[in-house]
Amino acid sequence: VRSGAELLRHSANTQSTSILPTTLEPLDTLLGGGLPRGRLVELAARRAAGRFSIVLATLASATSMGEAAALVDLGDHFDPQLAEANGIDLRRLLWIRPHNMKEAVMSAEMITATGFQLVIIDAGLHPLRGKRAPEAAWVRLARTAATCGTAMLVSSPYSLTGTASEAVLKGTVARSRWLGRGRAPRLLAGIDFVLTLEKHRHRKPGSQATLSLEVLP
Amino acid sequence: VTRIACFYVPMFPLAARLRSEPDLLQEAVAIVEGNGNSAHVVAATRRARTKGIRPGHSLAQARALLPKLIARMRDAECERTAQEALYDVAESFSPRVEDAGEGVVYVDVTGMDRHYRSSDGENAELALARAAIDAATKIGLPARVGIAASKLAARVAAELPKSPRIVEVGKESEFLAPLPLTRLSPQLDAAATLRRWGIGSIGELATLPENEIASRLGELGRELHSAARGIDPRPLIPRALPPDFREGMDLEWPLVALEPFLFIANAALDRLATRMEIQGFSCKRLELTLALDPDGFYSRAIDLPAPTRDVKTMLTLLRLDLEKTPPGAPVTGFTIVAHPDRPRRAQLSLFGPPALSPEKLATTIARLVSLLGDDRVGMAMAVDGHLPERYAIGNYAPPPPPDARRKPKKSRGLLAARVFRPPLPVEVITREHEGDLEITAINGEGDVSGSVRIASGPWRIESSWWSDAPAAREYWDIELERGGVYRLYQAAPSTEWFIDARYD
């Protein structure tokens, strides 16, 4: 680097490659472009709040870029047909179905150390399978992600990662949208969710965004 | 000029045994052949030899000399696997290897010297021989190496105590001349006859006229005379590559618990991994055969999810398999066969996303399978059909990443459904309204309970009506008053209701 302009350009390039966009605009805006690589982001919502839709969209984004992604599916909720319709390249996705949280964290650490560019732990719905992992386990997982440059997303019904996470998002349901009124037959059209940035190490928390998702036609 | 290297393991039965039981290396150990009174020593460690124990002593004589002598029977399985290991080492130097058995292999090393040419002026063949000795030591076999233009001269050179020995081209007869006749063949009957004639060394035999020797000793005499002059017309006959790698041993006493067996199996797997590494292979399938007490065998086959040489992974899979299906009788011996496969290789990209190391990935997947089970890790596959819960899982082998970074495809913003496996049974309260069915409430476990705000349906799915397991379902989407949108179905002909997904 020979000049300040070059340094700025280099910094901007580094910035763009060190973020994995989820391609869901409201979420990317909240997180400053997407999931930071080498960091752990947590998405927590007790009620269904678009968590699984965000998981699938992020997987679709990473695999469409040709990156290797892994889903640690604690609740065993993944549907390959729906995933394919969402644009996930299933050939690049490693699907892991642990029996409890301890196995989920162990599996996530193993695959992160292998060099996967995106690792997602979906803890499923309340109640969680197995005991909660201690906070030290999440700190260790976050450090492994930092060492390997892996973007890590933890989707859970309540906050699990404590101080280990770079950012925490909370989701709530705004409203569901149905076609048809009164006595006419109804048809589910989509659901709107509200995402709130509860914590971020480099951004001011408290900002909100609405995420509108449509039912597969 | 053909150059042949002979890899020779002295006291092979002992060396094979010590390879399997390295703890005995510093002990006074004798390898014994035969039973009862006919049991005699065939080889002994240095510590036993210093006490006067020699091959040929009966076991009783040996015990009289050293009461604390550890006696081990000759183990055919140990010797066979040690021979294979020696062969593997030889094959890492040249593809043309002849297996002569009993700790001897011949290797065609013609032209190999240029790979071992050193800058300090050391003989290239000497450097090759030293590398061979180091490689054999790595797998637990104390080998000696001799290199010459013929198998005979190479074998004699390898058998000499000072190793390695290189016999220069055309100097075979000079090399052999000062050596005693027994070096040509230890079991030679003619040697005694020749000694009576006053011929003690190979060189003295070589100076005699060939015709005179042939007329007195026949064809054997002619061959012996040729050998004494360093002429060995026997060509090197290479052996085909073995389709698998084996390790095993007969146990001194039957094992009834899993842990002691795994302790021994760990060492065997370690040896297998080293041998496969020498040849650049990984293990794709493990076959375990246990010899049971009093008789019978027990066999298991374990397919590894991806080729690997990771001993810890293979041992864990072996443990899980034996815990799941124990042999049911004490174990008196075992053989582990590893089926080799080429490890996956990949060219890494300079500008695209970083590729996963195939070998690292294979090891990780094998570890995950050993931790979670073989149907819990892999590539999800979409399946043709109509029922939403269908899925298949296959081996994960991702294609190489693109050569350049790509932009992500824009999300379609689709609402996902969490599938419940198995579906949750619920009680559904319905009412008839103007001839239509209306769902008013559901009663299930946890959050899946309450009044229904909106219900949409039914959509009928009929599948596999031609098979033994037909499915006819009526699906509904419902939203509860307390929140949550679910997919609900009733499976005809029963009146039971299930929730099979939640929109999230």
Side-chain angles (χ1 to χ4, degrees):
Chain A
V1 179
R2 283 168 295 179
S3 67
E6 245 180 84
L7 182 66
L8 283 175
R9 264 202 306 277
H10 177 74
S11 165
N13 285 339
T14 315
Q15 191 73 14
S16 66
T17 53
S18 65
I19 280 178
L20 174 67
T22 65
T23 68
L24 294 169
E25 211 175 311
L27 181 62
D28 285 348
T29 309
L30 276 184
L31 289 173
L35 298 179
R37 293 185 194 272
R39 297 284 182 271
L40 189 154
V41 172
E42 184 170 24
L43 177 59
R46 175 77 162 80
R47 301 272 175 202
R51 279 196 288 125
F52 209 56
S53 304
I54 292 170
V55 165
L56 294 194
T58 311
L59 289 173
S61 166
T63 56
S64 72
M65 291 163 72
E67 300 194 348
L71 172 64
V72 182
D73 186 10
L74 183 57
D76 199 7
H77 295 306
F78 185 73
D79 177 1
Q81 286 73 229
L82 190 67
E84 211 166 37
N86 261 283
I88 296 176
D89 183 352
L90 291 178
R91 297 171 306 159
R92 297 189 190 278
L93 174 67
L94 178 64
W95 185 26
I96 301 167
R97 302 186 296 154
H99 301 92
N100 51 47
M101 184 52 88
K102 187 182 170 191
E103 287 181 358
V105 175
M106 283 171 73
S107 310
E109 190 176 345
M110 271 189 235
I111 50 179
T112 306
T114 307
F116 279 76
Q117 283 98 39
L118 171 66
V119 174
I120 297 182
I121 301 176
D122 182 67
L125 298 168
H126 171 78
L128 289 181
R129 290 187 182 180
K131 286 182 189 170
R132 281 193 189 202
E135 194 174 330
W138 295 108
V139 172
R140 184 174 151 154
L141 197 57
R143 281 190 186 158
T144 311
T147 309
C148 304
T150 303
M152 187 170 283
L153 177 66
V154 178
S155 150
S156 62
Y158 23 73
S159 190
L160 297 171
T161 58
T163 55
S165 55
E166 174 83 0
V168 176
L169 291 155
K170 291 252 169 165
T172 48
V173 181
R175 65 184 183 96
S176 54
R177 283 176 278 116
W178 296 83
L179 299 177
R181 285 168 176 276
R183 289 271 163 223
R186 297 296 188 90
L187 191 64
L188 182 65
I191 304 180
D192 296 337
F193 302 101
V194 174
L195 297 171
T196 310
L197 189 65
E198 290 273 313
K199 164 192 159 183
H200 200 292
R201 284 191 182 150
H202 305 292
R203 297 172 75 84
K204 195 177 171 187
S207 46
Q208 287 192 334
T210 303
L211 181 65
S212 293
L213 300 169
E214 310 297 324
V215 170
L216 180 68
Chain B
V1 180
T2 308
R3 298 293 286 164
I4 293 174
C6 175
F7 293 12
Y8 167 72
V9 179
M11 292 186 284
F12 181 64
L14 177 68
R17 192 75 201 201
L18 292 179
R19 177 174 171 265
S20 296
E21 292 183 77
D23 297 346
L24 298 180
L25 207 59
Q26 303 303 324
E27 303 293 333
V29 182
I31 302 297
V32 180
E33 195 170 31
N35 292 316
N37 290 335
S38 68
H40 62 278
V41 175
V42 290
T45 54
R46 187 187 298 271
R47 197 164 168 189
R49 292 200 304 274
T50 53
K51 299 289 179 187
I53 295 168
R54 295 280 176 271
H57 280 173
S58 70
L59 183 57
Q61 283 174 315
R63 283 256 157 82
L65 289 168
L66 184 61
K68 286 185 178 174
L69 179 74
I70 300 171
R72 290 278 191 271
M73 293 300 290
R74 272 190 86 160
D75 185 343
E77 190 59 34
C78 272
E79 289 179 26
R80 200 177 53 70
T81 53
Q83 182 69 22
E84 277 191 15
L86 184 65
Y87 184 88
D88 294 339
V89 168
E91 209 168 40
S92 67
F93 285 87
S94 166
R96 285 173 51 79
V97 181
E98 180 182 331
D99 187 356
E102 294 279 322
V104 179
V105 293
Y106 294 105
V107 190
D108 186 348
V109 291
T110 312
M112 294 286 291
D113 52 343
R114 60 171 167 249
H115 297 296
Y116 292 88
R117 198 162 287 154
S118 59
S119 55
D120 58 359
E122 190 192 38
N123 185 329
E125 285 186 337
L126 201 62
L128 187 156
R130 284 192 212 285
I133 290 172
D134 288 347
T137 309
K138 200 177 162 192
I139 57 155
L141 289 173
R144 294 178 188 171
V145 175
I147 299 179
S150 68
K151 281 162 68 173
L152 175 91
R155 165 85 186 243
V156 172
E159 282 175 353
L160 293 176
K162 194 185 161 199
S163 186
R165 280 297 276 268
I166 311 297
V167 182
E168 299 296 327
V169 179
K171 295 191 176 172
E172 284 79 17
S173 51
E174 276 179 43
F175 163 70
L176 291 171
L179 300 173
L181 275 172
T182 46
R183 287 282 175 197
L184 282 185
S185 177
Q187 288 86 30
L188 196 68
D189 291 335
T193 312
L194 289 167
R195 259 199 307 276
R196 279 202 302 278
W197 294 352
I199 300 166
S201 71
I202 297 172
E204 286 168 357
L205 176 65
T207 52
L208 294 177
E210 185 181 1
N211 290 346
E212 297 295 326
I213 295 286
S215 65
R216 285 168 176 79
L217 294 176
E219 182 62 21
L220 176 71
R222 203 184 57 75
E223 282 176 14
L224 206 56
H225 193 265
S226 297
R229 286 180 292 146
I231 300 167
D232 184 7
R234 293 174 302 161
L236 188 135
I237 306 163
R239 192 182 81 161
L241 186 71
D244 47 43
F245 295 81
R246 285 165 189 270
E247 284 289 339
M249 67 188 297
D250 293 331
L251 304 174
E252 288 297 306
W253 54 85
L255 294 178
V256 288
L258 182 60
E259 285 304 325
F261 171 72
L262 288 176
F263 181 75
I264 302 167
N266 185 25
L269 286 172
D270 206 24
R271 294 197 295 270
L272 273 177
T274 310
R275 284 174 56 195
M276 285 190 287
E277 191 182 358
I278 287 171
Q279 303 243 2
F281 281 117
S282 288
C283 178
K284 177 69 184 151
R285 180 183 163 91
L286 274 178
E287 282 176 9
L288 171 72
T289 305
L290 301 173
L292 302 180
D293 189 35
D295 54 16
F297 291 93
Y298 180 77
S299 293
R300 302 291 306 160
I302 302 163
D303 284 312
L304 302 179
T308 182
R309 283 195 298 261
D310 188 61
V311 175
K312 201 174 159 190
T313 304
M314 291 192 279
L315 191 71
T316 309
L317 290 171
L318 208 62
R319 172 199 291 273
L320 291 173
D321 194 76
L322 286 175
E323 276 174 354
K324 206 165 24 174
T325 50
V331 174
T332 57
F334 72 94
T335 310
I336 300 176
V337 181
H339 291 263
D341 194 358
R342 289 283 173 203
R344 292 174 189 163
R345 297 265 179 261
Q347 175 69 50
L348 303 183
S349 163
L350 274 177
F351 305 106
L356 299 173
S357 155
E359 199 159 351
K360 216 170 167 185
L361 177 66
T363 305
T364 302
I365 291 180
R367 277 191 188 163
L368 285 171
V369 167
S370 65
L371 176 71
L372 307 173
D374 53 4
D375 61 336
R376 312 291 292 184
V377 183
M379 181 184 72
M381 293 192 293
V383 181
D384 281 342
H386 298 284
L387 300 180
E389 69 266 23
R390 67 194 188 277
Y391 78 95
I393 196 159
N395 285 337
Y396 182 68
D403 292 337
R405 273 188 190 277
R406 290 197 299 233
K407 283 191 172 178
K409 281 186 189 163
K410 194 164 166 47
S411 170
R412 296 174 66 188
L414 293 178
L415 182 64
R418 288 180 180 274
V419 175
F420 294 127
R421 294 189 184 96
L424 309 175
V426 285
E427 185 187 351
V428 174
I429 297 158
T430 59
R431 70 176 180 198
E432 287 271 342
H433 184 79
E434 296 175 359
D436 291 333
L437 186 73
E438 267 188 14
I439 297 174
T440 55
I442 60 170
N443 287 321
E445 283 185 10
D447 289 348
V448 192
S449 198
S451 304
V452 173
R453 194 168 77 86
I454 299 174
S456 162
W459 294 278
R460 291 193 177 84
I461 286 181
E462 199 171 352
S463 170
S464 309
W465 49 265
W466 58 90
S467 70
D468 294 337
R473 298 177 182 173
E474 290 196 340
Y475 276 88
W476 298 73
D477 286 333
I478 58 162
E479 183 179 1
L480 299 184
E481 291 281 2
R482 60 189 293 191
V485 184
Y486 295 91
R487 195 166 68 199
L488 182 74
Y489 75 85
Q490 186 180 31
S494 77
T495 53
E496 289 176 330
W497 290 82
F498 298 93
I499 283 192
D500 83 331
R502 176 174 184 169
Y503 292 100
D504 181 9

